[in-house]
Amino acid sequence: GAVVSQHPSWVICKSGTSVKIECRSLDFQATTMFWYRQFPKQSLMLMATSNEGSKATYEQGVEKDKFLINHASLTLSTLTVTSAHPEDSSFYICSASIGGWTDTQYFGPGTRLTVL
Amino acid sequence: KQEVTQIPAALSVPEGENLVLNCSFTDSAIYNLQWFRQDPGKGLTSLLLIQSSQREQTSGRLNASLDKSSGRSTLYIAASQPGDSATYLCAVRRYGGATNKLIFGTGTLLAVQP
């Protein structure tokens, strides 16, 4: 149980285009979803926290207009990288929790974004 | 601001050795601490979770300890195997606040040589 999927698993796009990454909780309803970014050989950095039906809360230094997060349902959150640039190339990982601030986060397999 | 550091950054051991990975955090006001495993290009697999009131947790060949007052945790791997090769991350969840944010450590890249 508690499976989280991400789609696509990898994507290559041209500079200036927008890319959407989906995060789905397959067998549970996720009140809260989290988006992380991971540069090569570095740790995970939290980008934003989203609650279903509410605006996402972004961490300091994360551009909300560049990284659009939508959590329209209890099983789906999307991250859209707008006007992507090569420096946005990274590994993006989402996680989901059933509810409550003490709840366990279940992680997706990640999406590798390469911007040419 | 909570900072989580892992030592060593990389470790290479021969198969069969017992090993210890270290995690330290600057703010002892944590709710729990979690150890994860990450294979190259993959997501995270949760290994062990220790609540702030606990001293250790065990799962198979893995044993994690927590000394909250000193801001330290260790992950002990017994009888290491090549399949244990991966990056190991620790993460702390702060106590209080509106969300259950995890602060991740810098990671230890483990290579177990056959």
Side-chain angles (χ1 to χ4, degrees):
Chain A
V3 178
V4 177
S5 70
Q6 284 185 239
H7 178 78
S9 56
W10 60 270
V11 57
I12 301 173
C13 69
K14 294 182 179 180
S15 184
T17 61
S18 295
V19 175
K20 180 184 287 188
I21 301 170
E22 292 184 348
C23 176
R24 293 183 183 272
S25 55
L26 299 185
D27 51 3
F28 66 98
Q29 293 187 320
T31 302
T32 306
M33 288 186 169
F34 303 82
W35 286 95
Y36 296 85
R37 182 174 184 177
Q38 186 178 34
F39 290 106
K41 298 185 179 180
Q42 294 189 25
S43 192
L44 277 71
M45 299 297 295
L46 179 65
M47 299 174 66
T49 304
S50 71
N51 290 297
E52 185 266 338
S54 304
K55 289 184 178 180
T57 301
Y58 291 81
E59 294 299 299
Q60 190 174 10
V62 178
E63 300 175 60
K64 59 183 66 177
D65 293 332
K66 180 167 189 60
F67 299 100
L68 302 179
I69 293 172
N70 184 279
H71 191 166
S73 77
L74 286 171
T75 59
L76 173 65
S77 176
T78 60
L79 167 66
T80 301
V81 183
T82 62
S83 187
H85 291 283
E87 57 265 30
D88 298 324
S89 299
S90 189
F91 193 57
Y92 293 88
I93 301 178
C94 73
S95 70
S97 68
I98 295 174
W101 68 271
T102 63
D103 205 15
T104 300
Q105 291 182 34
Y106 301 97
F107 285 81
T111 296
R112 171 73 59 192
L113 170 63
T114 301
V115 184
L116 302 177
Chain B
K1 178 184 174 184
Q2 177 73 273
E3 293 184 2
V4 183
T5 306
Q6 292 183 243
I7 295 174
L11 181 63
S12 180
V13 300
E15 181 177 4
E17 269 203 12
N18 302 324
L19 58 100
V20 175
L21 307 181
N22 298 288
C23 172
S24 61
F25 45 95
T26 55
D27 186 348
S28 62
I30 64 170
Y31 187 75
N32 59 38
L33 182 146
Q34 200 165 358
W35 282 92
F36 294 89
R37 168 187 173 138
Q38 185 178 30
D39 292 291
K42 304 294 184 181
L44 303 182
T45 300
S46 179
L47 298 174
L48 290 165
L49 184 150
I50 311 177
Q51 300 295 345
S52 63
S53 59
Q54 297 177 319
R55 298 285 292 182
E56 65 178 287
Q57 281 285 337
T58 298
S59 176
R61 295 182 294 109
L62 305 180
N63 177 277
S65 67
L66 174 63
D67 184 344
K68 198 174 72 165
S69 61
S70 67
R72 294 179 182 177
S73 176
T74 61
L75 178 66
Y76 175 83
I77 302 178
S80 59
Q81 303 171 356
D84 295 331
S85 299
T87 296
Y88 290 80
L89 296 163
C90 67
V92 299
R93 177 167 298 156
R94 69 177 186 180
Y95 188 80
T99 61
N100 56 350
K101 291 198 287 189
L102 292 175
I103 308 299
F104 280 85
T106 47
T108 294
L109 177 60
L110 173 65
V112 181
Q113 309 299 330

